[in-house]
Amino acid sequence: MSKKSRLRAQKAKQLRQQEELEREEQQEKLNAKNGARSRSAKKYIKSAKLKEHIAYKAIKVIMLLPYAVNCLFFGLVMTIAILFVGINDIEKVTAYFLLAEIASVTLGIVFAFLRKYILAFIFAGGGSVMFFSEGVKFVGKIHYYMQNYYVSPENSKMDVKYMLFFYPSIIIAVCAAALLAMKIFAAVRKRKRAKDEYNDRPTKSIID
């Protein structure tokens, strides 16, 4: 084989080695990228599976009761009554406010079960407070009507009935605030524990 042929063969061999090396590097990068994604997914799954204290679950169950009975059922009944039947001196815009408040509370409940307690407090707490305030307005108008107009005996407790419709919704706001407070307390305690563990580590001079 001539010198020129040997140089060509050597160059071709170097090119093949270079291409193989580049393929290996690309494969390593791809494996590293997939590994990072896998670690991220595992971390997310692990955090989702972390068990919460039973107090969180109990508070969420308590939230569901006034949400289902007062906000969802009675709130929708009141909305339909205002829009399609008509209630004395109650404008239809009130029905739209009720719908918005019910939607806000619903979203907040979802966030609570997703353990997003800041968002749960904003939506569930804010929505339930607004829903409660609508109830206060209703009861105030009923009191005025009962004091100035004749009310039949069967409607003598009408104000109490509307209080039971709306007032328990404030429990949702209290529960949302409790969940957020518990989460903040747990985070502060965890940070303090980590700081204490760091401060209690033996120094290099003691180890030496």
Side-chain angles (χ1 to χ4, degrees):
M1 181 181 292
S2 66
K3 184 177 180 180
K4 190 174 182 180
S5 298
R6 286 197 303 270
L7 288 174
R8 286 177 179 176
Q10 186 177 3
K11 186 176 181 180
K13 184 179 179 180
Q14 289 176 348
L15 287 174
R16 288 195 299 271
Q17 290 176 345
Q18 182 67 27
E19 290 175 356
E20 185 177 351
L21 183 62
E22 289 177 355
R23 284 196 298 268
E24 289 178 356
E25 289 178 352
Q26 289 178 356
Q27 187 63 39
E28 287 177 359
K29 289 180 180 179
L30 183 62
N31 291 338
K33 187 176 182 180
N34 290 335
R37 288 178 179 176
S38 178
R39 287 192 296 271
S40 178
K42 288 179 180 178
K43 185 177 179 182
Y44 176 78
I45 294 171
K46 184 179 179 181
S47 64
K49 288 183 177 179
L50 286 176
K51 291 185 177 180
E52 284 189 316
H53 193 277
I54 192 173
Y56 287 90
K57 297 179 181 179
I59 292 174
K60 292 173 189 178
V61 171
I62 294 172
M63 289 177 73
L64 285 176
L65 295 175
Y67 165 70
V69 176
N70 300 95
C71 290
L72 205 57
F73 179 72
F74 287 122
L76 290 177
V77 168
M78 287 296 301
T79 300
I80 293 171
I82 295 170
L83 289 176
F84 301 104
V85 179
I87 301 178
N88 293 340
D89 300 327
I90 304 298
E91 298 178 354
K92 288 188 176 182
V93 68
T94 302
Y96 301 122
F97 283 139
L98 288 174
L99 285 175
E101 290 150 12
I102 293 169
S104 177
V105 175
T106 301
L107 190 59
I109 295 289
V110 172
F111 281 129
F113 278 90
L114 292 175
R115 303 180 186 180
K116 307 292 185 181
Y117 296 121
I118 296 177
L119 293 173
F121 175 72
I122 293 172
F123 286 97
S128 61
V129 168
M130 294 301 295
F131 188 86
F132 173 81
S133 67
E134 293 293 342
V136 172
K137 294 177 184 177
F138 268 101
V139 173
K141 291 180 179 180
I142 291 169
H143 277 309
Y144 176 82
Y145 185 85
M146 294 175 69
Q147 291 173 358
N148 293 276
Y149 300 94
Y150 170 77
V151 177
S152 59
E154 60 268 19
N155 291 325
S156 60
K157 299 293 183 180
M158 186 166 53
D159 55 343
V160 177
K161 182 178 72 173
Y162 277 88
M163 286 180 185
L164 295 176
F165 282 176
F166 287 97
Y167 285 15
S169 63
I170 200 66
I171 297 173
I172 300 173
V174 174
C175 290
L179 287 171
L180 180 58
M182 289 168 60
K183 192 67 177 180
I184 292 173
F185 177 77
V188 171
R189 187 174 61 177
K190 183 179 179 181
R191 184 176 298 177
K192 184 178 183 300
R193 189 187 301 119
K195 185 178 180 181
D196 291 340
E197 290 176 357
Y198 177 82
N199 292 334
D200 291 341
R201 289 189 309 174
T203 62
K204 184 175 181 181
S205 59
I206 295 175
I207 295 174
D208 295 339

